[in-house]
Amino acid sequence: MHPAARTRTTFRTGPTPVPQPRARRIRSLIDADALRVLHRAARVLLDDLPDLTDRLLAVLREQEPAYRTALDNDHAATWQEVYRSLRHSVTSLLDPRGTREAAHRCTWRIGVARAEQGLPLDALLHAFRLGGSLVWQRLVEETTRSEPEDIRLLVHVATDVWNFVDEHCTLVADAYRQAERQLAWRRENRVRLLAAALLDGTSRIADLPETAERLSLPERGRYVVVAIAGGPPHDLEPGGSAYLHSGVEVDHGIVLVGDEGDGKADRDPLAALDLTGEAPAGRRIGVGCAVTGLAAVGDARRLADLALSICPPEGGTVKLTEHLPEALVVSCPELGATLTERVLGPLLRLEPADRDVLLDTLVAWFASEGSAQRAGERLYCHRNTVLNRLRRCEQLIGRSLARPHDVVEISLALTARRLPRG
């Protein structure tokens, strides 16, 4: 609380007037008398603090449902909190400078504690204002009872009393908001840690109930993880059945696509992550396969990362279920490289121009589902030209495009050559 008696500064322009000692002496006497009245009443309040506390709690119980709940849950602790706050308020009337730091610490602790308990800030500020109003009311009552003629002197300290109330309302609000920010950060950090453990496959079974609660996702259900890289960061708005975990290079969305064993078709994970619209340039999306239960989300993430690794560098979306052969190859780059050399080696060692023509023809033939006619249209050449190139490929690599086993090998080798390696 600011000192009740203080120098009042008047701002003037022009020459400084001649001091008038008499006028200043009258003002000083008024301030001294006002302080005497204030201190006399405050000492009575200090002796009557338990009753003052009971009166304030009765008003709070009547007017603030949040405090009604706090009193019902822990009456003793709430009583002690209000008592300490009132004691600091009243002692600050008697010794503003000597009690200022202790009063500030008390108010700050109350703000932090109430934020941690979830008491609404509006209710807390109302309690402080009610406390200030009650203290002022008791000062007036006591002065009226003991020295009625001195009531007029209290007017001179009213501003200081209410400045004290405003100061502590500001302080308790600052403490509350700072604690609230820290609590929010802790909650968000805890959620991130739980989600990261889930995606890494290191989540403990004992943590699954908390993880499900924090992420607002059921423990049991069918989940798909979506891996997202590139494009503007943090522009996604997942719905209620998904959680988006932001990473340094790759973001992962954990999406609930169906209930366990319900027999219904899975929901679209891209729609849940608001990814069905036009993607920004360069954004790559990998959609993994569905798994059952939160405990299996680590496996789902690995499948999503595998799908992401198949995405072309310029961007696009790859659903793993539609690219299983590529996934098989890219999941083991060493075997993919061995297969490429074993099947396509003689063709790859040709002169670049000759090699590229034959490889492009093979790729076009597979893309055309074995139709030389459509492959020729893709390559802007006659179907007989395509057939001649294909026969030359068969001679070089020692395999036949008429044998299913050889076709599978050639297709996988072409895929392994196209995909990035580890």
Side-chain angles (χ1 to χ4, degrees):
M1 175 177 169
H2 300 297
R6 59 189 178 193
T7 304
R8 292 173 171 80
T9 304
T10 303
F11 295 94
R12 294 184 172 89
T13 58
T16 303
V18 178
Q20 300 180 14
R22 183 175 179 80
R24 293 180 61 187
R25 178 172 177 76
I26 293 173
R27 179 172 295 177
S28 178
L29 287 174
I30 291 175
D31 287 344
D33 288 341
L35 281 176
R36 174 181 55 78
V37 172
L38 175 67
H39 290 171
R40 183 180 62 209
R43 291 189 190 95
V44 176
L45 264 63
L46 203 56
D47 294 335
D48 198 28
L49 273 180
D51 179 65
L52 194 64
T53 302
D54 290 338
R55 287 179 60 176
L56 179 54
L57 287 177
V59 175
L60 286 173
R61 179 182 285 278
E62 179 184 351
Q63 297 187 16
E64 276 297 341
Y67 268 94
R68 193 179 310 140
T69 302
L71 286 166
D72 291 339
N73 291 339
D74 195 343
H75 185 278
T78 306
W79 193 96
Q80 286 294 331
E81 174 190 287
V82 173
Y83 176 84
R84 285 193 298 270
S85 181
L86 288 174
R87 177 165 53 83
H88 282 292
S89 297
V90 177
T91 53
S92 293
L93 300 175
L94 297 168
D95 182 12
R97 293 182 180 177
T99 59
R100 178 184 176 86
E101 291 303 320
H104 280 189
R105 286 195 299 270
C106 176
T107 296
W108 189 271
R109 285 195 295 267
I110 291 173
V112 171
R114 286 310 186 183
E116 291 174 347
Q117 293 162 10
L119 186 87
L121 178 57
D122 287 346
L124 182 59
L125 290 173
H126 190 202
F128 266 74
R129 293 189 181 101
L130 284 175
S133 178
L134 183 59
V135 168
W136 177 251
Q137 180 183 339
R138 287 290 291 114
L139 290 172
V140 173
E141 288 174 356
E142 177 54 33
T143 303
T144 302
R145 184 193 64 81
S146 59
E147 300 289 344
E149 66 279 5
D150 289 340
I151 280 293
R152 59 184 178 81
L153 293 172
L154 281 181
V155 174
H156 295 275
V157 294
T159 299
D160 295 298
V161 172
W162 288 106
N163 281 345
F164 176 87
V165 175
D166 288 342
E167 176 186 359
H168 281 260
C169 281
T170 300
L171 187 64
V172 79
D174 289 344
Y176 186 101
R177 293 189 182 103
Q178 180 173 317
E180 201 172 39
R181 287 192 294 270
Q182 291 175 347
L183 289 168
W185 180 87
R186 289 174 196 161
R187 285 193 296 268
E188 291 171 4
N189 193 52
R190 178 61 176 164
V191 169
R192 281 190 57 81
L193 290 174
L194 290 170
L198 204 62
L199 290 164
D200 290 342
T202 57
S203 182
R204 301 180 305 171
I205 297 298
D207 289 336
L208 286 178
E210 182 189 0
T211 303
E213 180 183 358
R214 299 267 186 164
L215 271 59
S216 299
L217 296 171
E219 275 191 70
R220 298 185 177 277
R222 289 176 57 74
Y223 288 96
V224 167
V225 171
V226 180
I228 308 145
H234 312 303
D235 64 338
L236 303 179
E237 297 181 3
S241 60
Y243 173 81
L244 182 65
H245 182 78
S246 299
V248 177
E249 296 181 352
V250 179
D251 298 335
H252 290 96
I254 305 171
V255 184
L256 176 68
V257 294
D259 298 327
E260 184 180 22
D262 63 1
K264 297 179 181 178
D266 287 342
R267 291 185 287 270
D268 182 5
L270 297 179
L273 289 170
D274 194 26
L275 288 168
T276 53
E278 185 177 351
R283 170 168 283 172
R284 296 158 47 237
I285 301 171
V287 183
C289 302
V291 298
T292 301
L294 277 180
V297 163
D299 296 330
R301 191 224 75 200
R302 284 186 284 275
L303 294 173
D305 287 345
L306 185 58
L308 184 67
S309 70
I310 302 173
C311 280
E314 62 271 16
T317 299
V318 169
K319 295 182 179 180
L320 195 63
T321 53
E322 300 173 1
H323 296 268
L324 292 177
E326 294 95 321
L328 288 171
V329 171
V330 80
S331 62
C332 188
E334 295 82 4
L335 287 179
T338 301
L339 178 66
T340 301
E341 174 59 32
R342 178 181 174 83
V343 175
L344 301 177
L347 193 156
L348 295 175
R349 285 187 283 275
L350 294 175
E351 290 296 322
D354 201 14
R355 175 199 65 200
D356 292 345
V357 166
L358 294 179
L359 284 174
D360 289 346
T361 301
L362 275 175
V363 169
W365 185 79
F366 275 100
S368 302
E369 299 180 345
S371 170
Q373 179 68 37
R374 291 200 298 273
E377 293 171 358
R378 284 172 176 264
L379 298 170
Y380 302 102
C381 63
H382 196 274
R383 65 180 298 276
N384 290 338
T385 303
V386 172
L387 292 173
N388 289 335
R389 292 175 183 174
L390 292 177
R391 277 194 292 270
R392 188 180 175 203
C393 289
E394 289 176 318
Q395 292 169 356
L396 282 169
I397 64 178
R399 284 166 172 77
S400 171
L401 292 172
R403 284 197 298 268
H405 181 272
D406 290 355
V407 169
V408 170
E409 279 196 331
I410 296 169
S411 175
L412 288 175
L414 288 170
T415 299
R417 182 177 179 274
R418 175 175 60 83
L419 295 176
R421 297 181 183 177

